[in-house]
Amino acid sequence: MTTTFVLIPGAACGSWHWHLPAAELRARGYEVVSVDLPCEDDAAGLEEYADAVVAAVAGRRRLTLVAHSFAGFTAPLVCARVPVDLLVLVAAMVPLPGEAPDEWWAATGHPDAQVRRAGRAAQKAGKGTGAEGVPEAAVPGSAADPFFQDLPPDLAAEAAARWRRQSEKPAARPWPMAAWPEVATRFLLCRQDRLFPAPFLRAVAAERLGVVPDEMAGGHFPMLSRPVELADRLEGYGRATAAR
């Protein structure tokens, strides 16, 4: 049975932000489900985000969930509801029981106030450019852009234009799980990530998951900057899990 990779976007993002590695994995013969979450719906919280993923994978087996950024809050909820072989966190947030996403930044000791404001502005407004209080990040792909600084200018501009409005509701409510799910978990960080710097994520992964993360080059969106390398990583994880 072929592994199905389930690609879950972060805040204010959609399936388009996964389109390059999705195409790469399909070309290699894998099943791919790229999910659009109801991020613009002010009635939808994390439970409804999990509902969307569960509905998208209905009837499928051999699932590898791949969660980017804010999806670190959603993917474990899915693992508690459907059989999952592997959870891969890519430059992702790792919650603790009862912790709201809005509280995560301070609770983890995120080191950069300006980047933190940019990240929160994107989560709340769905804007990749011109976030209030972060004027230097107004140009997608610029050295100050915490999201797309390593993308070609045209791709960076399109990625920013594809931001969706992100409701504040899921960030305001506590993470409802009592513990991390009993599922094999891999963590992949990006060494040039400006939103979640590598030393910061190494500490988060160690303290909250007890793991040493894998690392690759790139900024916060490796699915756009290095889709083939990311597909290689995911394929390797899937093969190692299937061999157990």
Side-chain angles (χ1 to χ4, degrees), residues 37 61 91 109 183:
L37 301 177
R61 295 291 183 268
V183 62

Side-chain angles (χ1 to χ4, degrees), residues 50-88:
D51 288 344
V53 180
V54 170
V57 302
R60 296 176 182 267
R61 295 291 183 268
R62 293 285 303 276
L63 302 179
T64 291
L65 302 191
V66 188
H68 177 239
S69 198
F70 185 47
F73 273 83
T74 299
L77 302 180
V78 179
C79 293
R81 294 175 53 183
V82 297
V84 172
D85 290 348
L86 178 67
L87 170 58
V88 182

Side-chain angles (χ1 to χ4, degrees), residues 159-192:
R162 296 258 186 180
W163 284 115
R164 302 169 63 196
R165 187 181 73 82
Q166 174 65 55
S167 170
E168 295 185 39
K169 180 175 179 177
R173 294 192 171 184
W175 192 57
M177 294 193 70
W180 197 258
E182 293 290 332
V183 62
T185 303
R186 301 293 294 261
F187 196 105
L188 179 61
L189 65 79
C190 300
R191 286 189 291 270
Q192 288 76 46

Side-chain angles (χ1 to χ4, degrees), residues 14-108:
S15 57
W16 180 89
H17 292 89
W18 277 107
H19 75 285
L20 295 177
E24 182 69 26
L25 289 166
R26 289 189 181 105
R28 300 180 188 192
Y30 294 100
E31 298 289 328
V32 177
V33 176
S34 193
V35 184
D36 281 309
L37 301 177
C39 68
E40 296 163 326
D41 183 354
D42 291 324
L46 293 173
E47 296 280 8
E48 287 73 26
Y49 287 20
D51 288 344
V53 180
V54 170
V57 302
R60 296 176 182 267
R61 295 291 183 268
R62 293 285 303 276
L63 302 179
T64 291
L65 302 191
V66 188
H68 177 239
S69 198
F70 185 47
F73 273 83
T74 299
L77 302 180
V78 179
C79 293
R81 294 175 53 183
V82 297
V84 172
D85 290 348
L86 178 67
L87 170 58
V88 182
L89 301 169
V90 179
M93 303 167 81
V94 180
L96 293 179
E99 181 178 74
D102 271 348
E103 300 169 341
W104 182 90
W105 302 85
T108 55

